[in-house]
Amino acid sequence: MKSKLPLFGFGLLVGVIVFWAGWKFLDRPYTFRGSVIDPPMPMADFLLVDQHGQPFSLSGQQGKVVLLFFGYTHCPDVCPVTLAEFTRIKEELGAAASQVSFVYITVDPERDTVPVMNAYMRSFDPDFFALTETREKLEEVWSRFGVYQSRQESTSAGGYLVDHTARTYLLDQQGRLVATYPYEMGEADVVADVQHILSAGGVQ
Amino acid sequence: MCSISSLQAGCSEVNRKIRSYLIRLAVTLLISLVAMIALSEGTYLLMREEYDRGPQVFQIVIPAGAAEKVAQGEEIPTIPEDQIFVTGDTLEVINQDRVDHQLGPIWVPAGAKGSLVLEDAEKFSYSCSFSPSNYLGFDVRQATTWQTRLTGLGISVPTTTAFLFIYSLVAFPVEGRKNQGSQEPTT
């Protein structure tokens, strides 16, 4: 028995070290994958119209996480790619996606009318919100989110193009801006951040 | 026929051999551990770079009126050009200006703080709204930390132990005990 004591002591020491290392590993604070706004910034409410002609307000999304993107239906590249990423994010979130609002706000209100937005969003996911309004009302929203947009004349059949900010915004259940993501953000990163916010009930 | 006493003797011989192998294994493990720690730490001390450190937080403060100054071509103090970041470093941008600013993927509304964890080791250039050149370069490298060295030991020690153990068995075989009283023939 006496000869087994050092072995028992060594095993105990290894066990304690493994437990401590595991505890430290699991106890690490979550690191957001996106660019974080710290502390989360409350965003002023806005009222726009969705693709069904129904009013949509940011305050109406209280209790839900919001993923927000600015684009336009005639966009040849950035917008369809981002909306396709939104659909994949929704898929990856599974049942938790019911607690997330996917919102797309136009930067081209002259062409993006309610019927156009409705038809466009059916190509991606009819449950996403596609918002439009008058330019005057939209400019307020663009300004709050620091959105750049500039009309570029083009000879293409699709008409003019609009240069615009391509970042995606993540808002928590209290309507606060938590993080932003650049174009082609990587769905896995966004999913991880959204899942973290959902599990934590918001950002502390 | 085998008697009980001869079976017991055989059993004790097997136990003794297993113990010898285990002792041999423990000794080679100890030798490998010491040798690999010495080699790893020696190499680390000789080759150590300035950026071999743990992750840190780097702050960039954009002062009030920065946008006007930049528009006039004035420099805003940011980070030293030769600064080397390591993966895991956090870049914090504190915007004290009255307008939004952007540094690559970090968009910082007026009066807010934005941050980003640098996850990939690479050299890149970010568009920057508070630099007269509109760009800011970053050099992010993979640091050699205690975790890296520990991982190295985790790989090298078992393989070295296995090699030494097999080599020792070939060079110095574990032999059975000679002249055991119970195995001597009786008349």
Side-chain angles (χ1 to χ4, degrees), chain A residues 114-192:
Chain A
V114 168
V116 170
M117 293 290 256
N118 192 311
Y120 186 66
M121 208 41 74
R122 266 184 272 146
S123 308
F124 295 98
D125 190 322
D127 290 337
F128 290 175
F129 294 99
L131 310 182
T132 187
E133 248 298 354
T134 61
R135 176 166 286 273
E136 189 187 7
K137 281 196 173 179
L138 282 164
E139 271 174 349
E140 280 179 38
V141 182
W142 297 337
S143 166
R144 283 175 208 158
F145 284 89
V147 173
Y148 161 85
Q149 50 76 38
S150 171
R151 184 169 158 160
Q152 306 293 322
E153 293 309 325
S154 163
T155 53
S156 73
Y160 64 86
L161 299 173
V162 182
D163 276 356
H164 64 94
T165 301
R167 78 177 70 93
T168 293
Y169 303 79
L170 175 65
L171 287 84
D172 71 3
Q173 293 96 324
Q174 287 83 47
R176 301 176 303 171
L177 180 60
V178 172
T180 61
Y181 304 88
Y183 172 53
E184 292 190 312
M185 49 210 168
E187 296 99 74
D189 289 347
V190 182
V191 168

Side-chain angles (χ1 to χ4, degrees), chain A residues 31 35-38 145-146 167, chain B residues 102 105-107 113-115 117:
Chain A
T31 303
S35 167
V36 176
I37 308 293
D38 182 28
F145 284 89
R167 78 177 70 93
Chain B
Q102 180 152 3
I106 312 174
W107 172 67
K113 183 175 84 175
S115 65
V117 178

Side-chain angles (χ1 to χ4, degrees), chain A residues 36-41 177, chain B residues 60 62 93-97 99-100 107-115:
Chain A
V36 176
I37 308 293
D38 182 28
M41 197 171 82
L177 180 60
Chain B
I60 299 173
I62 307 170
V93 182
I94 299 168
N95 185 4
Q96 297 173 342
D97 206 356
V99 297
D100 303 347
W107 172 67
V108 199
K113 183 175 84 175
S115 65

Side-chain angles (χ1 to χ4, degrees), chain B:
Chain B
M1 272 182 64
C2 290
S3 66
I4 290 175
S5 63
S6 68
L7 275 174
Q8 281 176 336
C11 225
S12 119
E13 173 63 12
V14 169
N15 283 345
R16 201 191 59 76
K17 273 204 161 184
I18 289 173
R19 203 175 302 131
S20 300
Y21 279 115
L22 285 177
I23 290 169
R24 180 73 65 90
L25 186 64
V27 169
T28 50
L29 176 67
L30 193 66
I31 292 169
S32 302
L33 192 65
V34 171
M36 287 302 108
I37 287 175
L39 186 68
S40 165
E41 292 305 293
T43 312
Y44 172 67
L45 289 173
L46 287 172
M47 310 281 288
R48 189 176 180 169
E49 297 283 356
E50 204 175 300
Y51 57 81
D52 283 330
R53 54 168 175 78
Q56 291 177 357
V57 177
F58 290 84
Q59 274 191 347
I60 299 173
V61 179
I62 307 170
E68 287 94 339
K69 286 181 184 170
V70 169
Q72 291 163 7
E74 285 183 44
E75 288 280 348
I76 303 292
T78 53
I79 47 169
E81 277 187 21
D82 57 352
Q83 177 67 52
I84 295 173
F85 296 90
V86 301
T87 51
D89 277 350
T90 303
L91 204 55
E92 268 186 8
V93 182
I94 299 168
N95 185 4
Q96 297 173 342
D97 206 356
R98 283 186 300 176
V99 297
D100 303 347
H101 279 283
Q102 180 152 3
L103 172 60
I106 312 174
W107 172 67
V108 199
K113 183 175 84 175
S115 65
L116 180 76
V117 178
L118 302 169
E119 289 179 333
D120 299 317
E122 60 182 325
K123 278 188 179 179
F124 48 85
S125 187
Y126 276 157
S127 63
C128 177
S129 64
F130 48 91
S131 166
S133 66
N134 285 327
Y135 285 98
L136 214 54
F138 288 88
D139 186 358
V140 185
R141 300 188 192 176
Q142 183 73 52
T144 309
T145 59
W146 66 267
Q147 288 102 325
T148 325
R149 281 140 54 206
L150 206 61
T151 307
L153 285 178
I155 295 166
S156 61
V157 170
T159 46
T160 310
T161 304
F163 170 76
L164 269 184
F165 182 65
I166 293 166
Y167 175 79
S168 76
L169 291 181
V170 173
F172 312 101
V174 174
E175 291 174 7
R177 186 177 290 172
K178 291 169 185 172
N179 302 323
Q180 288 185 34
S182 61
Q183 288 179 332
E184 283 175 7
T186 51
T187 53

